[in-house]
C-alpha cells in the first residue's frame, strides 16, 4: 500500500483504494468490532483509551491511574466517524492508476507540485 503526501504542507491522503482496501470495507470492519464492544459495555458507556488518543483528539476523560483514560463511548464513536470522513474528504487520487494518469499532480491545499509517495 502507498499514499501521497505533500512535502510543503501537512496534507496527505489515505492509502490508494483497491477492491480490498477502501473506506467502505473499513466501515464494515469497524462496525463488527464496535458492535461487539458495544454489546459488552453498553451499560458502562465508557471506553479506555491511551494517552496518544487523548493528545490527538482532545476529548474529556478521566485518568485510570495506569496511564490510560476512560472517555465517553459516544465521544469515541464521533472521533472514529470523523476520521473516516476525513479519509474520504482528503482523497484526491482514489487509485494508483489515477495518480499515474494525472498529467499535472499538485497538492489540493497549497498547490505545491512537490508530492511524495510513501
Ligand atoms: Zn501542500
Amino acid at each position: 500500500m502507498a499514499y501521497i503526501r505533500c512535502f510543503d504542507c501537512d496534507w496527505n491522503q489515505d492509502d490508494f483504494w483497491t477492491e480490498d482496501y477502501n473506506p467502505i470495507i473499513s466501515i464494515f470492519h469497524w462496525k463488527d468490532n464496535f458492535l461487539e464492544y458495544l454489546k459488552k459495555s453498553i451499560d458502562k458507556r465508557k471506553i479506555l483509551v491511551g494517552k496518544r488518543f487523548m493528545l490527538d483528539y482532545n476529548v474529556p476523560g478521566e485518568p485510570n491511574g495506569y496511564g490510560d483514560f476512560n472517555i465517553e463511548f459516544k465521544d469515541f464513536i464521533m472521533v472514529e466517524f470523523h476520521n473516516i470522513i476525513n479519509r474520504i474528504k482528503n482523497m484526491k487520487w482514489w487509485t494508483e492508476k489515477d495518480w499515474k494518469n494525472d498529467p499535472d499532480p499538485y497538492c489540493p491545499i497549497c498547490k505545491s507540485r512537490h508530492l511524495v509517495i510513501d
Side-chain angles (χ1 to χ4, degrees):
M1 291 202 275
Y3 74 100
I4 307 292
R5 65 180 171 84
C6 179
F7 189 81
D8 296 319
C9 77
D10 288 338
W11 178 84
N12 63 70
Q13 69 169 40
D14 197 9
D15 287 324
F16 290 122
W17 294 343
T18 65
E19 286 182 22
D20 299 322
Y21 178 80
N22 60 63
I24 304 304
I25 286 175
S26 300
I27 288 168
F28 283 115
H29 182 71
W30 186 92
K31 184 193 80 145
D32 292 343
N33 288 344
F34 285 90
L35 277 179
E36 194 59 37
Y37 185 85
L38 204 53
K39 281 182 206 166
K40 290 179 188 166
S41 63
I42 194 145
D43 293 334
K44 296 192 298 186
R45 299 188 185 189
K46 299 268 187 185
I47 186 170
L48 201 60
V49 299
K51 190 175 181 180
R52 181 80 250 165
F53 186 95
M54 299 301 286
L55 291 172
D56 286 349
Y57 302 113
N58 193 29
V59 296
E62 298 167 12
N64 74 345
Y66 300 100
D68 295 321
F69 295 81
N70 282 302
I71 67 167
E72 294 282 334
F73 193 71
K74 67 177 184 173
D75 289 333
F76 187 75
I77 293 170
M78 287 190 288
V79 166
E80 290 296 318
F81 276 114
H82 176 79
N83 287 341
I84 290 171
I85 290 167
N86 274 344
R87 281 174 55 199
I88 296 168
K89 199 166 100 181
N90 287 342
M91 202 66 176
K92 182 171 180 184
W93 298 278
W94 285 24
T95 66
E96 194 163 9
K97 189 177 171 189
D98 292 341
W99 162 253
K100 287 179 176 169
N101 289 338
D102 189 333
D104 184 22
Y106 59 87
C107 173
I109 302 301
C110 73
K111 314 296 182 209
S112 167
R113 283 166 172 78
H114 195 175
L115 300 171
V116 180
I117 184 164
D118 283 334

